[in-house]
Amino acid sequence: MDRRKSIGVFFLTVLMIWKFLIPMMLKGWNPIIISLFFVITSTTTILFLVGGLNRKSVAAVLGSLSGTFLTSLLAIIFGKYFKIHGAVLPHSETLLYAGYAHLNLTDILIAVVFIASAGALMDLAIDISAAVYEVVEKNPQISRAEAIQSGFNVGRTVIGTMTTTLLFAYTGGYIALLMIFMAQGTPVINILNLKYISMEIMHTIVGSFGLVAVAPFTAIIAGILFTQKSSNKKPDGQIKIQNLTPAVKPKNQTSPES
């Protein structure tokens, strides 16, 4: 069943990209708004389909979306101060010559930045949510602060490898170009000032900030959701048993003296 869900989620995401995201961008809609709506919808759908309708999925969705909003904000800010034009995107010139000169390539570039990191944010969020959930299930008496701290510990362990994963993914697309630079003896400062390389640096920085933020967000949300206790429980976890039967005085009760 899990395998079927995974395959179904994969094809659903492809369908959303092909039938919604790309057509809306070609029509000239705001790429940032369209992409943000796409990421929110796909993240929510995927996590609920895979994890089910439960608190674990809710915590993962809220944590992932909090990181997505921060990543989109950072992408807008970094895109402005890095002064990178969207023409650095592969095949952007071909798109313009195909009759779509009205498109805002810079906004498309900003959208690409947080779309590319959305998968990693979603993966990290569900990992931390599942870890905190298991901790609370095995020890129901754990305090909220301890559950959140467990999520922090898991997040610190995973973030180090996830940021490196982003670096590997972004660098792999330009490995041949970097080999040309080294073969020609191009100075490092000149390489860093190239728009193509600056775009990849921005990708890595923004994605890393998103990962660093989504870990504590998810840990806090999961700790709050999973350690909620009803008011009819004692601190030691034992349920109070209250006698809800009203005391009824028996009728026609005679005294012993009579």
Side-chain angles (χ1 to χ4, degrees):
M1 187 63 182
D2 293 338
R3 185 178 302 175
R4 294 179 182 178
K5 286 183 179 180
S6 301
I7 297 175
V9 164
F10 177 80
F11 283 106
L12 177 62
T13 306
V14 172
L15 187 64
M16 292 178 64
I17 294 173
W18 188 251
K19 293 296 184 180
F20 172 76
L21 181 63
I22 296 177
M24 292 297 102
M25 285 188 174
L26 288 176
K27 289 180 180 180
W29 290 43
N30 191 312
I32 298 177
I33 296 177
I34 292 299
S35 300
L36 191 58
F37 178 80
F38 163 75
V39 171
I40 293 173
T41 305
S42 59
T43 297
T44 305
T45 304
I46 291 170
L47 289 177
F48 278 127
L49 283 178
V50 174
L53 296 174
N54 49 48
R55 291 181 299 168
K56 181 168 59 176
S57 298
V58 171
V61 168
L62 294 178
S64 178
L65 293 184
S66 62
T68 297
F69 286 124
L70 178 62
T71 303
S72 59
L73 179 63
L74 291 177
I76 295 173
I77 296 174
F78 277 78
K80 176 182 178 181
Y81 285 100
F82 272 50
K83 297 180 180 180
I84 303 176
H85 194 272
V88 298
L89 289 171
H91 312 295
S92 58
E93 294 182 2
T94 306
L95 181 62
L96 296 179
Y97 293 147
Y100 293 93
H102 62 282
L103 297 180
N104 190 331
L105 295 179
T106 303
D107 285 349
I108 294 176
L109 172 63
I110 294 173
V112 167
V113 171
F114 62 82
I115 289 176
S117 60
L121 298 180
M122 182 169 50
D123 186 22
L124 180 59
I126 192 63
D127 288 344
I128 295 178
S129 177
V132 177
Y133 182 80
E134 290 298 323
V135 170
V136 176
E137 282 292 304
K138 294 296 186 297
N139 184 13
Q141 306 307 318
I142 190 173
S143 66
R144 179 168 296 174
E146 291 173 335
I148 294 175
Q149 184 60 46
S150 298
F152 284 169
N153 295 336
V154 175
R156 279 195 294 265
T157 305
V158 178
I159 284 175
T161 57
M162 292 296 291
T163 53
T164 308
T165 301
L166 288 179
L167 178 62
F168 287 164
Y170 297 147
T171 304
Y174 288 89
I175 192 68
L177 182 62
L178 295 177
M179 292 172 65
I180 293 175
F181 289 150
M182 179 169 289
Q184 294 178 348
T186 306
V188 176
I189 189 63
N190 293 346
I191 297 176
L192 296 178
N193 285 326
L194 289 174
K195 297 298 183 182
Y196 293 97
I197 304 301
S198 299
M199 180 184 69
E200 297 304 321
I201 294 176
M202 184 177 71
H203 271 202
T204 306
I205 292 176
V206 171
S208 299
F209 272 116
L211 288 173
V212 171
V214 77
F217 287 163
T218 307
I220 293 173
I221 294 171
I224 293 174
L225 289 179
F226 300 160
T227 57
Q228 285 183 343
K229 296 182 179 180
S230 58
S231 59
N232 63 337
K233 291 185 178 181
K234 294 181 178 180
D236 60 356
Q238 296 179 352
I239 300 176
K240 292 181 179 180
I241 301 176
Q242 299 177 352
N243 186 10
L244 301 180
T245 305
V248 180
K249 185 176 181 180
K251 295 182 180 179
N252 301 325
Q253 183 178 7
T254 59
S255 62
E257 297 178 355
S258 62

